[in-house]
Amino acid sequence: MIVSPSLLAADFTRLSEEIDMINRSEADWLHLDIMDGVFVPNISFGFSVLDAIKPICKKPLDVHLMIVEPEKFIGRIAELGAMMMNVHYEACTHLNRTIHEIHEAGMKAAVTLNPSTPVCMLADVIKDVDMVLLMTVNPGFGGQSFIEHSLDKVVELRQLIKATGSKALIEVDGGVNKTTAPKLAEAGVDVLVAGSYVFKAEKPEEKIKELKQL
Ligand code: DX5
Ligand code: ZN
């Protein structure tokens, strides 16, 4: 399993220690949640925080943009050296163009679906994307409960990937914990994002290790 801890649940008063923990851990990537208060009803952190993280984080950056018009920031996210840029299907009017622009900027491209958006909406882009991020809670906040129907969406997405010969990875985000993670692994997920489950734990590195073993 690929594990991408979500920094949203970290203690921001000791951010460099939290990043050190990620660097030491078995985490594969670091998941960064950017919110604009428009696409989602919350605001997280922006470029001043991302620029501070960039030089100290040794793991590839998995950037999840919960913002309107994410295409405006492709150049800026590329400058950050991000490995993956996740844009929401619901926020992109010209998704095909946005995916190609992300690739031209040298990053991998992922499309994210809200819980209410069906998997079939990806039929015409699935071969162009490196990853699909299925939201397993409504985006905007950490610590919410996993939406069980997401498991059916994972299975459906796996079928779409197989049928089209796409190489897209399946990532899930929201409510990942000891109970939901094994079910998600069983359903065919490649990447687990986990915020509260990792950062609120007494021994976060052990939680990461546990998810890695799935
Ligand atoms: C929610 C964010 C998530 C969030 C997950 O909108 O996209 O990445 O940090 O938090 P947990 O794992 O606590 O549900
Ligand atoms: Zn996220």
Side-chain angles (χ1 to χ4, degrees):
M1 185 64 71
I2 297 170
V3 177
S4 189
S6 166
L7 195 71
L8 192 65
D11 177 351
F12 283 78
T13 64
R14 28 183 298 278
L15 199 50
S16 70
E17 287 166 52
E18 297 280 52
I19 303 283
D20 282 346
M21 181 280 289
I22 292 293
N23 287 341
R24 281 194 314 268
S25 78
E26 290 179 33
D28 297 277
W29 305 341
L30 179 64
H31 185 86
L32 298 165
D33 291 297
I34 314 302
M35 305 177 188
D36 65 355
V38 179
F39 183 71
V40 289
N42 195 12
I43 296 175
S44 55
F45 47 83
F47 286 110
S48 48
V49 173
L50 295 174
D51 288 339
I53 292 167
K54 177 188 170 181
I56 58 170
C57 184
K58 296 188 183 133
K59 307 282 176 160
L61 305 180
D62 173 30
V63 181
H64 177 195
L65 295 169
M66 285 161 273
I67 63 172
V68 296
E69 301 180 309
E71 65 279 359
K72 284 186 180 168
F73 296 97
I74 293 171
R76 192 65 180 81
I77 301 288
E79 261 175 47
L80 198 69
M83 176 269 304
M84 183 77 75
M85 177 163 166
N86 297 263
V87 295
H88 269 258
Y89 169 85
E90 303 83 5
C92 296
T93 309
H94 299 288
L95 184 58
N96 180 287
R97 177 186 292 147
T98 302
I99 291 165
H100 289 295
E101 287 178 357
I102 294 172
H103 283 150
E104 277 160 23
M107 295 177 286
K108 290 185 190 288
V111 176
T112 308
L113 295 186
N114 277 338
S116 61
T117 305
V119 165
C120 63
M121 302 311 276
L122 295 175
D124 290 330
V125 293
I126 193 71
K127 288 182 84 169
D128 298 325
V129 294
D130 301 289
M131 188 171 81
V132 175
L133 167 51
L134 293 177
M135 287 309 301
T136 44
V137 297
N138 284 294
F141 303 93
Q144 302 181 80
S145 304
F146 179 79
I147 297 172
E148 285 291 328
H149 171 61
S150 312
L151 292 167
D152 300 330
K153 288 179 80 174
V154 172
V155 172
E156 199 186 333
L157 177 57
R158 178 57 69 206
Q159 284 165 357
L160 178 67
I161 288 170
K162 206 171 165 198
T164 54
S166 162
K167 298 207 163 51
L169 296 173
I170 303 177
E171 180 177 56
V172 289
D173 184 6
V176 170
N177 57 35
K178 197 183 178 68
T179 312
T180 56
K183 294 191 213 172
L184 287 159
E186 172 79 26
V189 160
D190 301 297
V191 189
L192 292 171
V193 174
S196 324
Y197 187 59
V198 167
F199 284 98
K200 306 291 187 212
E202 215 168 289
K203 294 180 177 164
E205 285 168 80
E206 284 183 16
K207 298 293 177 191
I208 293 169
K209 197 185 188 90
E210 174 195 307
L211 297 175
K212 275 297 298 168
Q213 282 161 0
L214 290 169

